[in-house]
Amino acid sequence: MQRTDIPWQSVYSCSTEVEAHLMKGNLESAGMTVVILSRKDHVNVTTIGDLAVVDIMVPAEQADEARQYIADQDLDRDESTSLPVSDAELEAAALAADMPTAEAELTARLAREETDRTEMADEADNYFPSEHEAETDDEADADAEAPEPDRV
């Protein structure tokens, strides 16, 4: 049970509870006491602005240590300040992807599905003969059941 008379300080703010729980786990693994204070508007599911603030709180005596830990681990990296990926890097990553294998797997799967559909259609034909086949079968049955005329 956590004490309620401890003065808490916010050491990190974000807009999603998922990010807050990740940060909490990082700080707890470093031995700090951490709570999440969510001021998120859960009714309107807002993820930006003042209606979506989620604070990471630590006891005041651990605040400096927590801020230093976040800075040392580069955990507060803002995506807007990270270096953008160049077109050449994106192209190299795309070319490095194993596309021929994925294409071959897709082609094989589509071929299996087509074979399955064909087999199912053949099975359906066996269970439900076409009208022409049904008439021919009915005529054959009628011929087989009809008595042969007496020969004189």
Side-chain angles (χ1 to χ4, degrees):
M1 183 128 184
Q2 302 217 350
R3 292 178 32 200
T4 57
D5 60 340
I6 300 173
W8 296 88
Q9 284 191 1
S10 174
V11 294
Y12 186 80
S13 294
C14 54
S15 62
T16 67
E17 290 176 359
V18 171
E19 184 179 357
H21 281 281
L22 291 170
M23 181 62 73
K24 179 182 180 193
N26 277 307
L27 292 172
E28 285 177 336
S29 70
M32 291 175 236
T33 304
V34 184
V35 295
I36 295 174
L37 174 62
S38 177
R39 293 180 281 152
K40 193 171 175 78
D41 182 358
H42 290 87
V43 175
N44 295 315
V45 192
T46 306
T47 59
I48 58 172
D50 290 340
L51 295 176
V53 177
V54 183
D55 286 315
I56 305 299
M57 310 288 287
V58 298
E61 66 268 6
Q62 292 180 343
D64 291 334
E65 179 186 357
R67 287 187 186 102
Q68 188 60 48
Y69 179 82
I70 292 170
D72 289 347
Q73 300 297 315
D74 197 23
L75 297 175
D76 64 345
R77 181 177 25 199
D78 184 4
E79 290 179 21
S80 64
T81 61
S82 24
L83 297 175
V85 177
S86 70
D87 289 341
E89 290 171 317
L90 285 174
E91 185 177 359
L95 291 174
D98 197 5
M99 293 306 291
T101 301
E103 187 176 331
E105 289 173 2
L106 176 62
T107 303
R109 190 187 78 196
L110 292 174
R112 283 192 307 270
E113 289 175 359
E114 181 61 31
T115 301
D116 291 345
R117 278 194 293 276
T118 303
E119 289 174 358
M120 288 173 36
D122 290 345
E123 288 177 18
D125 287 344
N126 290 337
Y127 289 115
F128 306 104
S130 67
E131 289 180 24
H132 176 69
E133 290 173 353
E135 289 173 7
T136 305
D137 290 344
D138 289 342
E139 291 171 2
D141 289 343
D143 290 342
E145 292 175 7
E148 289 188 27
D150 290 333
R151 292 189 186 183
V152 180

